[in-house]
Amino acid sequence: MYRILVVAHAPLASAVVKVVEDILGQDAPVYALDTRIDQTPEGRRKQAADMINELLEDGELLLLVDFLGGTPSNVVIPYLGREGVDIVSGFNIPLLFKAVDWAREGRAVEEAAMALKAYGSQHIERVADRLTSKA
Amino acid sequence: MIVDIRIDDRLVHGQVLQGWVPKLGVNTIIVVCNSELRRTELDAIYGLTMPASLKVIVVSTDHLLETMDLARQGEERVMILAGDLESLAAIPADHLVPRITLGNLCNSPNTFEEKQQDLGHCEDVHTVAQLSKSFGCTGSQMRQIGELLSRGVRIVACAGVHDSAKEITEVSC
């Protein structure tokens, strides 16, 4: 089972992980790494290294970052070449829920990451369009 | 042309990409980094994460002056982005135009400890710690800013595009 580390501008990572845990259970394999403005660049990198290395000890790791080009993505992109690591940027709550489901099903992280890109996009909707499609 | 010279110890990040690049019409960022290992890492990071419309080049301080000369003569709209004030120490004042913008510098190593030490040397603790609402620095960084001011360099403190830019004309320490 891969585990999921959400890496985002504080307090987003902690906040979405709490949402996931509240809805899917405290045993959801999801963790938070908030990047804070009061951290030094070296401090952020060390914190990320410590968490990622620890999580990788028990299997594969899916890194979810808020957007490419921001500090969180700059911190974790160097791990892209590590075995068992995949990275998806631009997550949303449905994507997180599905990532947890697939982790619990035992999917491989690369397979999940590839499918999550489409899944997350499909779950951004203009709600009024649903009325039109049902008419 | 060089449209901005920015000091931000987070280098290229969301505030720069989403705020300053579109506001200033930047299409090229020259990042200053003296660590060869870190330059290699930054090249890899930016190669993956930067939009196709934005060119990001990482250079050492050894090559900064010649790079700035080329940038000034070219048609690209260039931001020079350094993680610290030391990177600009050897650049002549007439090259540090139009101005230096102080973005983020409160997160250097030992910042908290250094602020605590330096605060003891100045009567006005607010002047040492905060140059503007959104920009804070240590006493030693204040002295570096003072040195640049003494060379006639124009300095503005402005972290985010929606912050009010504060012209820095003098420092207390």
Side-chain angles (χ1 to χ4, degrees):
Chain A
M1 177 177 74
Y2 63 80
R3 291 196 276 183
I4 302 157
L5 178 62
V6 180
V7 188
H9 291 78
L12 182 60
S14 298
V16 297
V17 166
K18 185 173 189 319
V19 169
V20 171
E21 289 176 339
D22 284 351
I23 293 175
L24 297 184
Q26 297 298 311
D27 63 342
V30 60
Y31 305 83
L33 175 56
D34 287 308
T35 62
R36 306 187 320 269
I37 60 172
D38 63 347
Q39 287 176 297
T40 66
E42 292 77 12
R44 276 189 215 102
R45 286 199 290 272
K46 183 179 186 313
Q47 183 186 27
D50 289 346
M51 283 195 78
I52 291 170
N53 289 329
E54 182 179 343
L55 290 170
L56 278 172
E57 283 178 6
D58 291 331
E60 296 183 320
L61 182 63
L62 174 66
L63 297 168
L64 300 179
V65 299
D66 44 11
F67 63 92
L68 281 181
T71 297
S73 82
N74 291 344
V75 168
V76 301
I77 287 293
Y79 295 91
L80 186 59
R82 285 275 289 271
E83 188 178 342
V85 173
D86 218 306
I87 305 176
V88 173
S89 76
F91 57 82
N92 53 31
I93 293 294
L95 182 155
L96 262 160
F97 288 164
K98 187 55 66 178
V100 171
D101 285 346
W102 287 340
R104 285 169 166 166
E105 287 175 13
R107 287 202 189 193
V109 71
E110 184 181 357
E111 175 196 350
M114 291 168 67
L116 282 171
K117 179 187 169 188
Y119 188 89
S121 301
Q122 288 159 7
H123 286 78
I124 295 175
E125 300 184 58
R126 177 173 177 265
V127 179
D129 292 342
R130 288 196 166 207
L131 297 173
T132 308
S133 65
K134 286 182 178 176
Chain B
M1 64 182 296
I2 295 176
V3 299
D4 198 20
I5 302 169
R6 183 172 179 84
I7 305 296
D8 192 326
D9 60 8
R10 281 178 277 168
L11 299 178
V12 184
H13 65 108
Q15 199 177 55
V16 171
L17 270 184
Q18 306 299 330
W20 291 108
V21 164
K23 178 169 173 124
L24 299 176
V26 170
N27 54 22
T28 301
I29 299 178
I30 296 171
V31 174
V32 186
C33 174
N34 263 342
S35 160
E36 184 177 348
L37 185 62
R38 185 73 177 133
R39 280 200 301 278
T40 303
E41 187 176 66
L42 288 173
D43 276 336
I45 291 171
Y46 297 146
L48 275 174
T49 60
M50 294 296 109
S53 58
L54 182 66
K55 188 190 304 182
V56 181
I57 305 164
V58 187
V59 302
S60 68
T61 52
D62 288 345
H63 296 106
L64 179 57
L65 186 57
E66 68 197 61
T67 305
M68 289 176 75
D69 282 339
L70 286 170
R72 190 159 289 111
Q73 295 160 25
E75 295 179 357
E76 308 293 332
R77 292 183 63 83
V78 179
M79 171 188 284
I80 308 294
L81 184 55
D84 54 52
L85 290 156
E86 288 92 339
S87 298
L88 305 180
I91 305 298
D94 60 356
H95 280 59
L96 295 173
V97 292
R99 71 190 163 272
I100 293 175
T101 303
L102 304 176
N104 293 284
L105 252 191
C106 57
N107 301 316
S108 300
N110 305 317
T111 291
F112 179 75
E113 291 78 6
E114 190 170 348
K115 280 185 181 177
Q116 291 299 100
Q117 290 168 15
D118 283 343
L119 286 173
H121 295 296
C122 287
E123 293 177 7
D124 184 347
V125 299
H126 296 294
T127 302
V128 172
Q130 278 316 110
L131 279 184
S132 73
K133 182 181 174 185
S134 57
F135 182 79
C137 63
T138 66
S140 64
Q141 288 163 347
M142 289 275 288
R143 284 185 280 276
Q144 291 170 330
I145 292 167
E147 191 277 328
L148 286 163
L149 288 171
S150 72
R151 292 202 278 141
V153 177
R154 183 184 169 212
I155 300 178
V156 170
C158 193
V161 294
H162 299 295
D163 294 332
S164 299
K166 181 176 176 181
E167 193 88 20
I168 306 301
T169 55
E170 61 179 2
V171 294
S172 296
C173 292

